[in-house]
Amino acid sequence: MNAIILLALVGVFSMFCGLFRLRTLALPVILLSLIASLVIYQYNMHGDFSNLLNNMVRFDSFSDSFSIVIVFSSIFLFIMSRYYYSEKIEHLTDIYALITFSVAGGILLVSFQNLVMLFLGVEILSIPLYILAASNRRSLESNEAGLKYFLTGAFFTSIMLLGITMIYGAYGSFDTDQITSLIQSQGASPLFVLGAVLILCAMFFKLSAVPFHYWAPDVYQGAPTVLTAYVSTVVKIAAMGALLKFAMFITHYESNIWVNLFTFVAIITMVYGNVVSIVQHNFKRLLAYSGIANVGFVMIAVIILNDNSVPYILYNLLAYTVAAILAFSIYSTVKTHTGVDTIDELAGLLTNNKLLSAGFLVALLSFAGIPPLSGFFGKYFIIAHAVVAEYFWLAIIAVILSVLGAYNYLRISAAIVKSNDSIPAIQLSMPYKLYIIGSIIVILALGIFPDQVLDILR
Amino acid sequence: MASFDTTHIISLLVPLLPLAGFFGYFLYGDKLSESKVGTLASGWVILSFLLSLVLFGQIPVDGAIQVNYFNWMQAGSFTVPFAFQIDQLSVIMMMLVTGVGSLIHIYSIGYMHGDNGFSRFFAYLNLFIFFMLLLVMANNYVLMFAGWEGVGLCSYLLIGFWYKNPEYSAAANKAFIVNRIGDLFMLYGLYMIFKHFGTFVYSDINGMAQSVFNADTAIIGIITLLLFAGATGKSAQIPLHTWLPDAMAGPTPVSALIHAATMVTAGIYLIIRSNVLFALAPLTNEIIVIIGLATTLVAGMIALKQNDIKKVLAYSTVSQLGLMFFALGVGAYAAAFFHLLTHAFFKALLFLGAGSVIHGMHGEQDIRKMGGLSGKMKYTHITFLIAVIAIIALPPLSGFFSKDYILASVFGKSPVLWFFGALSGLLTAFYMMRLYLLVFKGKSRMPEADAAKIHESPSVMLMPLYVLAGLSALGGFMNIPSIFGGSQWLENFLKPVVSLSELHIDHGTEWILMGISTVLVLGIVFWTYNMYVKKNDVPESDAVLATMPFANFLNRKFYFDEFYDAVFSQPLLKFSTFIQKWIETSIVDKVTDSFGMLSFFLSGQVRKLQNGHISFYLFAMVLGILGILTIFILL
């Protein structure tokens, strides 16, 4: 709870920074508070708010692990946004504040104990996103993306609310513990199943799982790249945490429905994401589809749902996140300086921009699952998980589709290493160089010490 | 991990110093001048040699030092330590590799002068020394195999050093591929060793060998045969000998270091190292005798009719290696090792001398165009002559002692084998005298203008020749047989490693045998002198040679290459072309391509759903919700 309070306060502080011309102060304070939050979670300094909270949220090892990954990933995101926005942009501190609020919402979301908090968490996480998607006010595309995101998002908010009210109708409570004990004593009512499926649909929407993915490619392409990076990484971690927690809750009602539903969604999401991505030419759109594919992939661990699911999912998401933020950042740097947009135009990036290309290639090869980069173990753990749980056919489908997905990343890599010097050398500032090198090191370190990372995430 | 004492550090430094030299190339290879690069590269190896001397002083009288560093690989019960075994055998090999290696490094400073790849050459040489040291120092088969493959790689890189010449690159490929064939067998041998012993460590295997294979001799026979097959590849024995003569495409110092003194003896080292296993496999030993004998005689005969100075020496090397295997087969391990050492000295000297001649003659290698060089290259001539006397086994130079030792041991086994061994010695005497006389004696057969340009090599090249000449002359005193009142130092020194009792014959017989072979060799010396100096015979030109069936047969190397080409390469090539055409492109490619086409097609169709209209999106998503509710709740 301390971390949520801290981040909310820092968000407010950041807004005031904008008012009092202290904009250079905002980012360092946010980064420091994120690091402080990491410390809070690592050492369980949540503070005693049990009287106040009335069992609305719970901080246990599950929420701690997810929160740590969310906060850790946001650090990369903030560093990226520092180099994405030029110093002169209006409302920079407001943008920082909105992201900070959203991060706090994400933490709340993975800690929910009461369905009301689930709803609140989703909203606190999402509302800043709608604004951010449209934050590039002079761009028609950005406005369109914001509006599309908002309309579809609002629609699914209502679906989720509908689901929550149905569960309330069935048991007369929002508290998951109470509902669980009522399920065990009274059995599940059909209303509960209906409500739970509706809530799951709303979560699938947040995760951009098929068939609720339509918004993702358009929003990814139109929105500012920082928002795209944020939505495809941190937001997905939070949403996946909520999904996992909710799945643990509803499986107290034992039924085939859940496994079948997750399996169905996982497979069509993987197939759809991987297949459609191969004809994309816009990098951001391509990553939207590859993000969709990865959600389906991660959902395999949700189907299995045992003690190992949490660390494996977190490892995969963390690996994906660090690489994705790096890739988005480099892409946006190249785009700002040279106007390059499609994948074909990236051809020959390596010739004059060694460091940018190295970072890009590491991120792409990590996506493709080349050892010893972290993406390899991200995939490996999930597939091994499926094999251990004897879901062999699921593992086989996942492997085949990973190969199909690898085509995309190798396609971009091949473009980058082409001998072509049409892209001029781009001047990078020293901190940005350090950021790229640091990200490469993190991607490598995650891949070289996977067991140690898993221990932290457990 | 065992505590780190000075032996640990020194043993680790011995291979690491040359490796540092290899990595140093990337730091200073382009920046420093030729002489500095050459001096540094030689310095690493010389330091390594000095440290080997220190280790030599530390060897306990009857035992080995095991130096453990860390577990290199571990998977279940499969463990491979990164550990060295410093014993009598490995320490002599280390001194040989680093000692001869240093001399050849120094020589190369002069020989490679002005070459574009000067520093690259030294980087490869340094890397070679590292891998060769790994090979001889390892305390288990896997680490040894790592070195084994490493020297193969360096050999490949150095044969094809002048890679712009396609013929040289082809020779490098040939060496690499032929070696892979041997290595494959060797790998199978290693797998079987692990299967039956559960370990790769020499000392464990040697301890268990007797009990494991007490009854079952077939399997140990197969294991040793597989190891020997690996050795035939690396040490160029029939049927895998064809790569070595072609390997002469590399710069001459490479031929001296890798293809005469060190790497090609790895096969012999391997068998001596595994002598406990080979002692249990009598059939394998008989096969080794046959292969070794066949190789030494065939290569000796081929050498009679070669006209390229390096080719003669290459076949001579194959022949001498065959002689060593011959000795191994009869169980004369110490004799084989003794000959390995003396051969390393005089053959390195012969190659370096040949290199000096080629250097002096600006690249000419055909002995028919030489002659009378003794006046123009005085020091090269004298050192070369010493090496020739050593290799044709005239007393008291080193080759005499080592070859005599082999022949005496063989006679103890069977007089018939002695006869063939001695025959090999006579062939050696003939082709070496022919080479020597044609190059240095007689009349000069080159145009006047060229003759004037011939010069003696610089002193940086001559210095190693002097040292090697000294070793070739005196190296035999390592193991003076008891017949001359010697103490047989080498044989006694190796006793802890080579536990077999040697075959000894009585002194009277030995005197007679020695006398016979020496007299015969002297006869050949006079015969060849008469032929090539007095009568000024010159080997036939290629056109004349083609009309002489037997000579041509020898000159064309028994048609081994043509035979392999017709029997293995061409059918394989045709088979591959067939597969490529009828199976790969017409079936496999089409099937796999169709998956890709299908994905692209689907992708193109499905993306049409993404039409940008938000009303359609909402509609589709509501359909999704309804679909899910229908499928999972109602049904």
Side-chain angles (χ1 to χ4, degrees), chain A residues 148 152 155-156 159 193-194 197-198 211-212 214 217-218 257 260-261 264 272 275-276 278-279 285 289 404 407, chain B residues 596 599-600 602-604 606-607 609-614 616-618 620-622 624-625 628-629 631-633:
Chain A
K148 272 184 183 169
T152 50
F155 182 76
F156 275 90
I159 300 283
V193 178
L194 185 60
V197 171
L198 288 178
F212 310 111
Y214 292 98
D218 290 9
I257 290 177
N260 290 345
L261 177 59
F264 173 73
Y272 186 88
V275 168
V276 179
I278 60 179
V279 289
R285 232 179 149 77
Y289 284 105
L404 198 58
Y407 166 77
Chain B
S599 304
F600 270 102
L602 285 178
S603 195
V606 178
R607 75 182 297 198
L609 289 175
Q610 199 74 34
N611 59 8
H613 295 299
I614 189 117
F616 173 76
Y617 291 174
L618 285 175
M621 291 197 275
V622 169
I625 298 176
I628 284 176
L629 289 177
I631 296 171
F632 293 100
I633 298 188

Side-chain angles (χ1 to χ4, degrees), chain B residues 79-360:
Chain B
T79 313
V80 179
F82 188 92
F84 294 148
Q85 174 167 336
I86 314 292
D87 64 3
Q88 285 76 4
L89 181 61
S90 58
V91 88
I92 292 185
M93 284 303 282
M94 283 158 67
M95 292 193 297
L96 174 72
V97 171
T98 53
V100 176
S102 319
L103 293 172
I104 289 169
H105 272 74
I106 295 169
Y107 176 90
S108 303
I109 298 176
Y111 190 83
M112 296 303 288
H113 173 69
D115 192 287
N116 281 335
F118 186 87
S119 48
R120 183 166 59 96
F121 180 79
F122 278 94
Y124 291 162
L125 276 192
N126 276 174
L127 187 68
F128 169 78
I129 300 278
F130 163 72
F131 278 123
M132 192 69 207
L133 286 169
L134 210 58
L135 195 164
V136 298
M137 292 173 76
N139 91 332
N140 61 71
Y141 283 100
V142 177
L143 191 57
M144 185 280 294
F145 191 70
W148 183 278
E149 290 297 294
V151 290
L153 168 73
C154 295
S155 158
Y156 165 79
L157 291 172
L158 284 162
I159 295 169
F161 183 75
W162 289 309
Y163 54 86
K164 283 177 185 156
N165 182 332
E167 264 182 47
Y168 293 177
S169 297
N173 283 340
K174 184 175 178 184
F176 201 69
I177 292 164
V178 173
N179 267 295
R180 288 292 80 64
I181 297 169
D183 293 348
L184 180 68
F185 289 111
M186 177 138 156
L187 267 181
Y188 286 135
L190 298 194
Y191 298 152
M192 287 184 69
I193 286 179
F194 187 75
K195 181 166 182 278
H196 291 278
F197 291 97
T199 175
F200 284 116
V201 179
Y202 299 140
S203 51
D204 297 348
I205 291 171
N206 289 348
M208 279 189 270
Q210 286 286 353
S211 53
V212 171
F213 290 111
N214 208 8
D216 198 350
T217 50
I219 287 179
I220 186 72
I222 294 169
I223 291 179
T224 48
L225 264 184
L226 288 170
L227 292 181
F228 173 62
T232 56
K234 189 84 28 198
S235 295
Q237 296 298 293
I238 289 174
L240 298 180
H241 67 288
T242 54
W243 66 272
L244 185 59
D246 286 20
M248 297 302 129
T252 309
V254 172
S255 313
L257 178 62
I258 301 184
H259 304 122
T262 54
M263 185 187 83
V264 288
T265 62
I268 290 138
Y269 169 80
L270 172 73
I271 291 179
I272 300 177
R273 188 42 96 196
S274 316
N275 69 75
V276 177
L277 298 182
F278 280 85
L280 296 171
L283 183 65
T284 308
N285 287 330
E286 280 172 29
I287 293 173
I288 296 177
V289 168
I290 293 167
I291 296 279
L293 203 51
T295 308
T296 189
L297 293 175
V298 167
M301 286 184 327
I302 294 175
L304 296 178
K305 282 292 170 191
Q306 296 304 310
N307 294 322
D308 179 314
I309 183 168
K310 286 178 74 181
K311 284 271 160 72
V312 177
L313 291 177
Y315 276 103
S316 160
T317 305
V318 176
S319 174
Q320 298 302 314
L321 290 169
L323 195 63
M324 293 177 218
F325 276 102
F326 179 46
L328 293 176
V330 300
Y333 293 106
F337 191 62
F338 185 29
H339 196 57
L340 184 160
L341 293 177
T342 57
H343 174 258
F345 299 146
F346 55 68
K347 188 51 69 64
L349 176 56
L350 286 170
F351 267 113
L352 294 188
S356 181
V357 168
I358 296 167
H359 190 74

Side-chain angles (χ1 to χ4, degrees), chain A residues 137-192:
Chain A
R137 288 190 294 179
R138 286 185 188 81
S139 149
L140 205 59
E141 273 197 325
S142 172
N143 283 315
E144 183 191 333
L147 192 62
K148 272 184 183 169
Y149 197 15
F150 174 65
L151 285 176
T152 50
F155 182 76
F156 275 90
T157 301
S158 62
I159 300 283
M160 175 177 266
L161 262 184
L162 185 62
I164 292 174
T165 48
M166 281 178 173
I167 293 179
Y168 186 78
Y171 295 108
S173 170
F174 290 122
D175 188 282
T176 50
D177 286 344
Q178 279 182 23
I179 296 171
T180 304
S181 57
L182 284 171
I183 291 172
Q184 276 152 359
S185 59
Q186 300 175 4
S189 78
L191 213 50
F192 167 77

